[in-house]
Amino acid sequence: MSTPAPIETPETTPPSRHMGWAGLALTLGILVAGLLWAKWLPYDLKAHKLAETGVWDGKAIFGAAGSTPSLQGAFDFTVVYLKAVWKAALVALLVAAALESLVPRRWLLRALSRRTSWGQGISGALLALPSMMCTCCTAPVAIGLRRSGAPAGATVAYWLANPLLNPAVLVFLGLTVPWPFVTTRVVVGIAVVLIAAVLVSRRFSTVEVETPEALPADPQTWGEMLSRFGRALGRYLLILVPEYVLLVVLVGFFSGWLSDFAALNQHAGPLALLLVGVIGAALVIPTGGEIPVVVGLTAAGASHGVAGVLLITLPALSIPSIVMVARHFGVRTTLLVTGWVVVGGLLAAGLLVALTWRRRPHPSGVGSPWRTPPRAVTAPRGYRP
Protein backbone atom coordinates (compact mmCIF):
# COMPACT_ATOMS: atom_id res chain seq x y z
CA MET A 1 0.00 0.00 0.00
CA SER A 2 1.51 3.30 -1.08
CA THR A 3 2.19 6.12 1.32
CA PRO A 4 1.02 9.69 0.76
CA ALA A 5 3.17 11.90 -1.39
CA PRO A 6 5.17 14.62 0.37
CA ILE A 7 3.20 17.77 1.03
CA GLU A 8 3.63 20.59 -1.42
CA THR A 9 2.37 23.90 -0.09
CA PRO A 10 1.19 26.57 -2.49
CA GLU A 11 3.30 29.58 -3.25
CA THR A 12 1.39 32.38 -1.55
CA THR A 13 2.57 35.84 -0.74
CA PRO A 14 4.75 35.40 2.36
CA PRO A 15 3.63 37.44 5.34
CA SER A 16 6.13 39.68 7.02
CA ARG A 17 8.06 37.78 9.63
CA HIS A 18 6.91 40.31 12.20
CA MET A 19 3.21 39.69 11.55
CA GLY A 20 3.75 35.95 11.40
CA TRP A 21 5.36 35.84 14.82
CA ALA A 22 2.74 38.22 16.20
CA GLY A 23 -0.09 35.98 14.98
CA LEU A 24 1.59 32.89 16.38
CA ALA A 25 2.15 34.62 19.74
CA LEU A 26 -1.51 35.66 19.92
CA THR A 27 -2.66 32.14 19.11
CA LEU A 28 -0.39 30.61 21.75
CA GLY A 29 -1.54 33.21 24.26
CA ILE A 30 -5.20 32.36 23.60
CA LEU A 31 -4.43 28.63 23.79
CA VAL A 32 -2.37 28.67 26.99
CA ALA A 33 -4.58 31.15 28.87
CA GLY A 34 -7.74 29.34 27.78
CA LEU A 35 -6.47 25.90 28.70
CA LEU A 36 -5.24 27.11 32.09
CA TRP A 37 -8.71 28.48 32.81
CA ALA A 38 -10.84 25.70 31.33
CA LYS A 39 -8.67 22.59 31.63
CA TRP A 40 -5.30 22.51 33.33
CA LEU A 41 -6.08 24.13 36.69
CA PRO A 42 -9.51 22.47 37.17
CA TYR A 43 -8.09 19.08 36.23
CA ASP A 44 -5.19 19.52 38.64
CA LEU A 45 -7.66 20.12 41.45
CA LYS A 46 -9.76 17.16 40.33
CA ALA A 47 -6.74 14.84 40.26
CA HIS A 48 -5.68 15.83 43.78
CA LYS A 49 -9.19 15.22 45.08
CA LEU A 50 -9.36 11.81 43.39
CA ALA A 51 -5.95 10.89 44.79
CA GLU A 52 -7.33 11.48 48.28
CA THR A 53 -10.70 9.75 47.89
CA GLY A 54 -10.30 7.29 45.00
CA VAL A 55 -14.01 7.80 44.24
CA TRP A 56 -15.46 9.69 41.29
CA ASP A 57 -17.62 12.47 42.70
CA GLY A 58 -20.58 12.74 40.38
CA LYS A 59 -23.00 10.72 38.32
CA ALA A 60 -23.51 9.80 34.69
CA ILE A 61 -24.81 12.76 32.71
CA PHE A 62 -27.52 10.64 31.06
CA GLY A 63 -29.53 10.65 34.27
CA ALA A 64 -30.50 14.25 33.56
CA ALA A 65 -32.39 13.12 30.44
CA GLY A 66 -34.73 10.82 32.33
CA SER A 67 -35.51 7.20 31.53
CA THR A 68 -37.77 7.90 28.53
CA PRO A 69 -37.55 10.40 25.65
CA SER A 70 -39.12 13.76 26.53
CA LEU A 71 -38.70 17.44 25.72
CA GLN A 72 -38.12 18.24 29.39
CA GLY A 73 -35.46 15.55 29.58
CA ALA A 74 -33.78 16.91 26.44
CA PHE A 75 -33.77 20.43 27.91
CA ASP A 76 -32.43 19.27 31.30
CA PHE A 77 -29.72 17.19 29.62
CA THR A 78 -28.65 20.10 27.43
CA VAL A 79 -28.43 22.48 30.40
CA VAL A 80 -26.31 20.03 32.43
CA TYR A 81 -24.09 19.29 29.45
CA LEU A 82 -23.52 22.91 28.47
CA LYS A 83 -22.70 23.84 32.07
CA ALA A 84 -19.97 21.19 31.96
CA VAL A 85 -18.43 22.16 28.61
CA TRP A 86 -19.05 25.85 27.98
CA LYS A 87 -15.59 26.98 29.07
CA ALA A 88 -13.81 24.44 26.88
CA ALA A 89 -16.18 25.13 23.99
CA LEU A 90 -15.44 28.87 24.17
CA VAL A 91 -11.69 28.22 24.20
CA ALA A 92 -12.07 25.84 21.25
CA LEU A 93 -13.92 28.46 19.19
CA LEU A 94 -11.27 31.10 19.92
CA VAL A 95 -8.43 28.71 19.08
CA ALA A 96 -10.14 27.56 15.88
CA ALA A 97 -10.59 31.15 14.71
CA ALA A 98 -6.98 31.95 15.61
CA LEU A 99 -5.59 28.97 13.72
CA GLU A 100 -7.63 29.91 10.69
CA SER A 101 -6.76 33.61 10.68
CA LEU A 102 -3.62 34.38 12.71
CA VAL A 103 -1.10 31.59 12.13
CA PRO A 104 0.71 31.66 8.75
CA ARG A 105 -0.51 28.68 6.75
CA ARG A 106 2.97 27.66 5.68
CA TRP A 107 4.05 27.41 9.30
CA LEU A 108 1.02 25.33 10.23
CA LEU A 109 1.57 22.96 7.32
CA ARG A 110 5.24 22.63 8.16
CA ALA A 111 4.36 21.66 11.74
CA LEU A 112 1.84 18.96 10.79
CA SER A 113 3.00 17.67 7.40
CA ARG A 114 4.94 14.40 7.36
CA ARG A 115 6.13 12.13 4.56
CA THR A 116 4.11 9.13 5.80
CA SER A 117 0.56 8.69 6.98
CA TRP A 118 1.85 7.23 10.25
CA GLY A 119 3.93 10.36 10.77
CA GLN A 120 0.86 12.50 10.20
CA GLY A 121 -1.01 10.50 12.83
CA ILE A 122 1.78 10.89 15.37
CA SER A 123 2.10 14.64 14.77
CA GLY A 124 -1.66 15.17 15.18
CA ALA A 125 -1.80 13.01 18.32
CA LEU A 126 1.10 14.84 19.96
CA LEU A 127 -0.52 18.19 19.20
CA ALA A 128 -3.70 16.97 20.92
CA LEU A 129 -2.16 15.95 24.23
CA PRO A 130 -2.03 19.40 25.89
CA SER A 131 -5.55 20.50 24.89
CA MET A 132 -7.46 17.68 26.65
CA MET A 133 -10.83 18.42 25.02
CA CYS A 134 -13.91 16.29 24.50
CA THR A 135 -14.81 15.30 20.95
CA CYS A 136 -17.38 18.11 20.48
CA CYS A 137 -15.03 20.84 21.69
CA THR A 138 -12.26 19.43 19.50
CA ALA A 139 -14.43 19.56 16.38
CA PRO A 140 -14.17 23.36 15.81
CA VAL A 141 -10.38 23.20 16.17
CA ALA A 142 -10.24 20.31 13.69
CA ILE A 143 -12.38 22.36 11.30
CA GLY A 144 -10.04 25.32 11.70
CA LEU A 145 -7.05 23.12 10.91
CA ARG A 146 -8.68 21.76 7.77
CA ARG A 147 -9.77 25.21 6.61
CA SER A 148 -6.11 26.24 6.90
CA GLY A 149 -5.09 23.32 4.68
CA ALA A 150 -3.73 21.03 7.40
CA PRO A 151 -3.20 17.36 6.40
CA ALA A 152 -6.33 15.24 6.73
CA GLY A 153 -4.54 12.44 8.59
CA ALA A 154 -3.00 14.74 11.17
CA THR A 155 -6.31 16.54 11.68
CA VAL A 156 -8.24 13.29 12.25
CA ALA A 157 -5.57 12.16 14.71
CA TYR A 158 -5.93 15.45 16.57
CA TRP A 159 -9.72 15.10 16.63
CA LEU A 160 -9.65 11.55 18.06
CA ALA A 161 -6.59 11.84 20.31
CA ASN A 162 -8.06 14.71 22.32
CA PRO A 163 -10.78 12.56 23.96
CA LEU A 164 -9.07 9.16 23.74
CA LEU A 165 -5.52 10.03 24.87
CA ASN A 166 -6.40 12.89 27.21
CA PRO A 167 -3.66 12.72 29.89
CA ALA A 168 -6.00 14.06 32.59
CA VAL A 169 -8.66 11.43 31.89
CA LEU A 170 -6.01 8.70 31.93
CA VAL A 171 -4.93 9.93 35.37
CA PHE A 172 -8.57 10.00 36.52
CA LEU A 173 -9.04 6.43 35.27
CA GLY A 174 -5.90 5.30 37.05
CA LEU A 175 -7.23 6.73 40.31
CA THR A 176 -10.71 5.22 40.06
CA VAL A 177 -10.56 1.87 38.22
CA PRO A 178 -8.16 -1.13 38.13
CA TRP A 179 -5.11 -1.07 35.86
CA PRO A 180 -6.58 -3.26 33.05
CA PHE A 181 -9.07 -0.47 32.24
CA VAL A 182 -6.29 2.10 31.91
CA THR A 183 -4.12 -0.27 29.87
CA THR A 184 -7.02 -1.02 27.53
CA ARG A 185 -7.76 2.67 27.03
CA VAL A 186 -4.14 3.54 26.26
CA VAL A 187 -3.35 0.60 23.97
CA VAL A 188 -6.57 0.63 21.97
CA GLY A 189 -6.75 4.43 22.03
CA ILE A 190 -3.33 4.74 20.38
CA ALA A 191 -4.27 2.11 17.79
CA VAL A 192 -7.58 3.82 16.98
CA VAL A 193 -5.96 7.25 16.58
CA LEU A 194 -3.02 6.18 14.42
CA ILE A 195 -4.91 3.73 12.19
CA ALA A 196 -7.69 6.28 11.65
CA ALA A 197 -5.05 8.78 10.53
CA VAL A 198 -3.59 6.21 8.11
CA LEU A 199 -7.01 5.32 6.69
CA VAL A 200 -7.95 8.95 6.13
CA SER A 201 -4.61 10.14 4.74
CA ARG A 202 -4.46 7.23 2.30
CA ARG A 203 -8.06 7.82 1.27
CA PHE A 204 -7.13 11.40 0.40
CA SER A 205 -3.88 10.08 -1.23
CA THR A 206 -2.27 13.49 -0.84
CA VAL A 207 -3.12 16.44 1.32
CA GLU A 208 -5.53 18.69 -0.52
CA VAL A 209 -4.43 22.31 -0.34
CA GLU A 210 -6.28 25.24 -1.84
CA THR A 211 -4.77 26.85 -4.95
CA PRO A 212 -2.94 30.15 -4.45
CA GLU A 213 -5.84 31.99 -6.07
CA ALA A 214 -8.46 30.41 -3.78
CA LEU A 215 -6.39 30.50 -0.60
CA PRO A 216 -6.29 34.04 0.86
CA ALA A 217 -2.87 35.47 1.51
CA ASP A 218 -1.77 35.63 5.13
CA PRO A 219 -2.53 38.99 6.82
CA GLN A 220 0.06 41.73 6.38
CA THR A 221 -1.20 44.30 8.90
CA TRP A 222 -2.70 44.35 12.38
CA GLY A 223 -6.01 45.60 11.05
CA GLU A 224 -6.21 42.82 8.48
CA MET A 225 -5.26 40.21 11.07
CA LEU A 226 -7.86 41.30 13.62
CA SER A 227 -10.54 41.70 10.95
CA ARG A 228 -9.92 38.18 9.66
CA PHE A 229 -10.01 36.80 13.22
CA GLY A 230 -13.33 38.54 13.87
CA ARG A 231 -14.88 37.18 10.69
CA ALA A 232 -13.71 33.63 11.44
CA LEU A 233 -14.99 33.77 15.02
CA GLY A 234 -18.31 35.25 13.87
CA ARG A 235 -18.78 32.43 11.38
CA TYR A 236 -18.25 29.81 14.10
CA LEU A 237 -20.61 31.60 16.49
CA LEU A 238 -23.39 32.14 13.96
CA ILE A 239 -23.25 28.79 12.16
CA LEU A 240 -21.45 26.14 14.19
CA VAL A 241 -22.74 26.97 17.69
CA PRO A 242 -26.48 26.85 16.86
CA GLU A 243 -25.95 23.62 14.94
CA TYR A 244 -24.03 22.18 17.88
CA VAL A 245 -26.67 23.12 20.48
CA LEU A 246 -29.51 21.81 18.32
CA LEU A 247 -27.75 18.46 17.89
CA VAL A 248 -27.08 18.22 21.63
CA VAL A 249 -30.80 18.77 22.30
CA LEU A 250 -31.64 16.05 19.77
CA VAL A 251 -29.22 13.58 21.32
CA GLY A 252 -30.42 14.57 24.81
CA PHE A 253 -33.99 13.69 23.82
CA PHE A 254 -33.01 10.03 23.36
CA SER A 255 -30.05 9.82 25.79
CA GLY A 256 -31.88 8.47 28.83
CA TRP A 257 -33.46 5.69 26.76
CA LEU A 258 -30.39 4.81 24.67
CA SER A 259 -27.99 4.82 27.62
CA ASP A 260 -29.64 1.86 29.36
CA PHE A 261 -26.44 -0.15 28.99
CA ALA A 262 -27.34 -2.31 31.98
CA ALA A 263 -30.26 -3.77 29.99
CA LEU A 264 -28.03 -4.41 26.97
CA ASN A 265 -25.59 -6.17 29.27
CA GLN A 266 -28.15 -8.94 29.72
CA HIS A 267 -27.56 -9.96 26.10
CA ALA A 268 -23.92 -11.02 26.13
CA GLY A 269 -22.22 -11.52 22.80
CA PRO A 270 -20.67 -9.68 19.84
CA LEU A 271 -23.96 -8.33 18.44
CA ALA A 272 -24.94 -6.77 21.76
CA LEU A 273 -21.47 -5.28 22.08
CA LEU A 274 -21.69 -3.91 18.54
CA LEU A 275 -24.97 -2.18 19.46
CA VAL A 276 -23.37 -0.77 22.60
CA GLY A 277 -20.50 0.54 20.46
CA VAL A 278 -22.78 2.28 17.97
CA ILE A 279 -24.83 3.87 20.76
CA GLY A 280 -21.68 4.94 22.58
CA ALA A 281 -20.39 6.64 19.43
CA ALA A 282 -23.69 8.52 19.06
CA LEU A 283 -24.16 9.85 22.61
CA VAL A 284 -22.56 13.08 23.78
CA ILE A 285 -20.64 13.49 27.05
CA PRO A 286 -18.26 16.06 28.57
CA THR A 287 -14.60 15.28 29.16
CA GLY A 288 -14.29 12.30 31.49
CA GLY A 289 -18.02 11.58 31.24
CA GLU A 290 -17.34 7.94 30.43
CA ILE A 291 -15.79 7.34 33.86
CA PRO A 292 -18.99 7.40 35.98
CA VAL A 293 -20.71 5.29 33.32
CA VAL A 294 -18.01 2.61 33.28
CA VAL A 295 -17.51 2.68 37.06
CA GLY A 296 -21.24 2.50 37.75
CA LEU A 297 -21.87 -0.33 35.28
CA THR A 298 -18.94 -2.35 36.57
CA ALA A 299 -19.99 -1.87 40.19
CA ALA A 300 -23.50 -2.99 39.21
CA GLY A 301 -22.10 -6.23 37.77
CA ALA A 302 -22.00 -5.40 34.05
CA SER A 303 -19.59 -7.35 31.89
CA HIS A 304 -16.12 -6.10 31.16
CA GLY A 305 -16.99 -6.44 27.50
CA VAL A 306 -19.57 -3.65 27.75
CA ALA A 307 -17.18 -1.54 29.84
CA GLY A 308 -14.39 -2.03 27.30
CA VAL A 309 -16.55 -0.91 24.38
CA LEU A 310 -17.67 2.23 26.20
CA LEU A 311 -14.11 3.10 27.24
CA ILE A 312 -13.44 3.85 23.57
CA THR A 313 -16.65 4.69 21.74
CA LEU A 314 -18.31 6.86 24.38
CA PRO A 315 -15.57 9.54 24.57
CA ALA A 316 -14.22 9.24 21.02
CA LEU A 317 -17.24 10.41 19.03
CA SER A 318 -20.74 11.84 19.25
CA ILE A 319 -23.42 12.75 16.74
CA PRO A 320 -22.77 16.52 17.11
CA SER A 321 -19.05 16.05 16.59
CA ILE A 322 -19.54 13.73 13.60
CA VAL A 323 -21.97 16.11 11.89
CA MET A 324 -19.77 19.17 12.48
CA VAL A 325 -16.63 17.68 10.90
CA ALA A 326 -18.38 15.74 8.10
CA ARG A 327 -18.58 18.79 5.84
CA HIS A 328 -14.81 19.19 5.96
CA PHE A 329 -13.75 15.53 5.68
CA GLY A 330 -16.63 14.29 3.55
CA VAL A 331 -19.46 12.02 4.64
CA ARG A 332 -17.80 8.80 3.48
CA THR A 333 -14.53 9.57 5.21
CA THR A 334 -16.32 10.53 8.43
CA LEU A 335 -18.37 7.31 8.34
CA LEU A 336 -15.16 5.35 7.74
CA VAL A 337 -13.63 6.87 10.87
CA THR A 338 -16.84 6.22 12.84
CA GLY A 339 -16.88 2.58 11.77
CA TRP A 340 -13.26 2.14 12.76
CA VAL A 341 -13.92 3.68 16.20
CA VAL A 342 -16.74 1.16 16.78
CA VAL A 343 -14.40 -1.66 15.73
CA GLY A 344 -11.85 -0.24 18.15
CA GLY A 345 -14.49 -0.47 20.88
CA LEU A 346 -14.94 -4.18 20.13
CA LEU A 347 -11.17 -4.67 20.27
CA ALA A 348 -11.14 -2.90 23.64
CA ALA A 349 -13.86 -5.25 24.87
CA GLY A 350 -11.78 -8.27 23.93
CA LEU A 351 -8.60 -6.87 25.47
CA LEU A 352 -10.28 -5.88 28.73
CA VAL A 353 -11.94 -9.29 29.05
CA ALA A 354 -8.58 -10.97 28.40
CA LEU A 355 -6.81 -8.84 31.00
CA THR A 356 -9.46 -9.40 33.69
CA TRP A 357 -10.53 -12.97 32.98
CA ARG A 358 -10.47 -15.32 35.96
CA ARG A 359 -10.54 -19.03 35.32
CA ARG A 360 -13.31 -19.71 37.79
CA PRO A 361 -17.10 -19.92 37.45
CA HIS A 362 -19.17 -16.77 37.64
CA PRO A 363 -21.37 -16.65 40.78
CA SER A 364 -24.45 -16.71 38.56
CA GLY A 365 -23.28 -19.94 36.97
CA VAL A 366 -22.68 -18.33 33.61
CA GLY A 367 -19.25 -19.29 32.36
CA SER A 368 -19.01 -16.78 29.51
CA PRO A 369 -15.87 -14.62 29.67
CA TRP A 370 -18.10 -11.68 28.72
CA ARG A 371 -19.56 -11.94 32.23
CA THR A 372 -16.33 -11.92 34.17
CA PRO A 373 -16.97 -10.81 37.76
CA PRO A 374 -15.55 -7.30 38.18
CA ARG A 375 -13.04 -6.15 40.71
CA ALA A 376 -14.55 -4.11 43.48
CA VAL A 377 -15.22 -0.54 42.43
CA THR A 378 -17.48 2.05 44.00
CA ALA A 379 -20.41 3.36 42.03
CA PRO A 380 -20.67 7.16 41.86
CA ARG A 381 -23.29 8.79 43.99
CA GLY A 382 -26.62 9.00 42.27
CA TYR A 383 -25.72 6.42 39.63
CA ARG A 384 -28.71 5.03 37.75
CA PRO A 385 -27.84 1.82 35.86
Side-chain angles (χ1 to χ4, degrees):
M1 191 177 293
S2 61
T3 58
I7 308 304
E8 294 184 2
T9 58
E11 293 294 330
T12 58
T13 303
S16 68
R17 183 168 293 272
H18 170 75
M19 293 307 301
W21 283 111
L24 180 61
L26 282 173
T27 302
L28 290 177
I30 292 170
L31 180 66
V32 172
L35 292 178
L36 275 170
W37 171 60
K39 294 290 181 179
W40 296 344
L41 293 179
Y43 288 172
D44 180 66
L45 294 175
K46 181 76 172 180
H48 280 86
K49 185 175 182 180
L50 277 176
E52 295 175 358
T53 64
V55 177
W56 186 267
D57 185 16
K59 58 184 179 180
I61 191 173
F62 306 122
S67 57
T68 57
S70 68
L71 292 177
Q72 184 62 47
F75 175 80
D76 292 342
F77 175 87
T78 303
V79 170
V80 172
Y81 173 78
L82 292 179
K83 282 183 178 179
V85 305
W86 74 269
K87 290 183 179 180
L90 177 58
V91 173
L93 293 172
L94 293 172
V95 171
L99 287 172
E100 188 178 331
S101 59
L102 304 183
V103 180
R105 289 171 171 82
R106 285 174 166 272
W107 297 8
L108 187 61
L109 290 174
R110 192 178 299 123
L112 291 175
S113 299
R114 297 294 182 270
R115 291 185 175 274
T116 67
S117 50
W118 292 102
Q120 287 188 14
I122 292 172
S123 65
L126 291 176
L127 182 66
L129 294 181
S131 49
M132 306 182 186
M133 294 182 182
C134 65
T135 180
C136 289
C137 294
T138 307
V141 183
I143 292 170
L145 289 171
R146 281 301 287 160
R147 289 181 63 89
S148 298
T155 306
V156 164
Y158 177 84
W159 178 41
L160 294 178
N162 259 281
L164 285 179
L165 303 180
N166 185 327
V169 173
L170 296 179
V171 171
F172 298 160
L173 282 170
L175 293 171
T176 53
V177 295
W179 68 265
F181 290 77
V182 185
T183 301
T184 298
R185 174 65 168 263
V186 172
V187 171
V188 179
I190 291 174
V192 167
V193 169
L194 295 184
I195 294 177
V198 171
L199 291 173
V200 170
S201 61
R202 293 183 179 181
R203 178 176 174 81
F204 277 78
S205 297
T206 58
V207 176
E208 298 178 356
V209 180
E210 301 274 2
T211 62
E213 294 77 15
L215 189 64
D218 293 308
Q220 303 295 313
T221 65
W222 281 102
E224 185 182 356
M225 178 183 290
L226 296 177
S227 174
R228 186 173 295 185
F229 176 79
R231 289 196 302 270
L233 182 60
R235 185 175 59 253
Y236 285 115
L237 291 174
L238 293 176
I239 298 175
L240 202 66
V241 171
E243 176 187 58
Y244 172 39
V245 173
L246 181 61
L247 289 168
V248 170
V249 172
L250 178 62
V251 174
F253 183 80
F254 296 101
S255 287
W257 173 53
L258 290 175
S259 62
D260 190 6
F261 301 114
L264 288 172
N265 179 65
Q266 303 303 316
H267 307 281
L271 289 180
L273 293 179
L274 177 62
L275 181 58
V276 170
V278 172
I279 293 174
L283 296 176
V284 59
I285 59 171
T287 301
E290 70 274 22
I291 296 178
V293 176
V294 170
V295 169
L297 284 170
T298 307
S303 73
H304 284 157
V306 170
V309 172
L310 294 176
L311 270 177
I312 298 299
T313 62
L314 198 52
L317 296 174
S318 69
I319 285 180
S321 180
I322 292 169
V323 171
M324 284 189 285
V325 305
R327 288 194 300 270
H328 301 271
F329 288 109
V331 174
R332 291 184 178 180
T333 300
T334 307
L335 290 177
L336 173 66
V337 173
T338 302
W340 167 237
V341 168
V342 173
V343 171
L346 297 178
L347 295 176
L351 178 59
L352 185 58
V353 166
L355 291 175
T356 56
W357 188 36
R358 302 290 187 271
R359 293 184 178 276
R360 57 186 174 85
H362 189 271
S364 66
V366 180
S368 169
W370 301 106
R371 296 184 180 275
T372 304
R375 288 179 58 182
V377 292
T378 304
R381 291 196 298 272
Y383 174 73
R384 179 184 58 82

